[in-house]
Amino acid sequence: MGKWEMVRLEEVCEVVSGTTPKSNVEKYWNGTQNWVTPAELREDRVEITETDRKITDLAIKESRLKPFPAGTVLLSS
């Protein structure tokens, strides 16, 4: 059995933190862009293709959000 080496997460992937568009700004919500919430990151769910909440393109622009490509691994703390 081989040895395991401990490394920082940043050494093997890009770590990004972000912000949530303001919930009280109606023009940011009920759009067409998926918005993943921690509740959707479940042990029994391997892939997320649709989300309960959606944001608008305006929310992405004005909140300076960075869309993630398909296949992105998401973690939440």
Side-chain angles (χ1 to χ4, degrees):
M1 193 178 284
K3 283 188 170 182
W4 291 90
E5 180 181 340
M6 183 91 65
V7 296
R8 295 185 59 81
L9 197 53
E10 296 89 2
E11 294 178 38
V12 295
C13 66
E14 179 182 5
V15 176
V16 178
S17 61
T19 184
T20 300
K22 295 184 183 210
S23 297
N24 62 343
V25 179
E26 289 185 31
K27 63 184 178 180
Y28 289 170
W29 297 96
N30 301 314
T32 60
Q33 304 296 325
N34 286 322
W35 183 256
V36 180
T37 65
E40 291 169 307
L41 302 176
R42 300 187 313 255
E43 187 175 317
D44 64 336
R45 192 170 187 184
V46 177
E47 183 177 24
I48 299 172
T49 56
E50 284 294 316
T51 58
D52 292 336
R53 298 188 79 188
K54 307 275 189 194
I55 60 173
T56 63
D57 291 329
L58 186 63
I60 292 171
K61 180 181 176 186
E62 291 187 356
S63 300
R64 297 187 196 136
L65 300 174
K66 176 184 168 187
F68 294 112
T72 297
V73 175
L74 300 176
L75 303 171
S76 179
S77 61

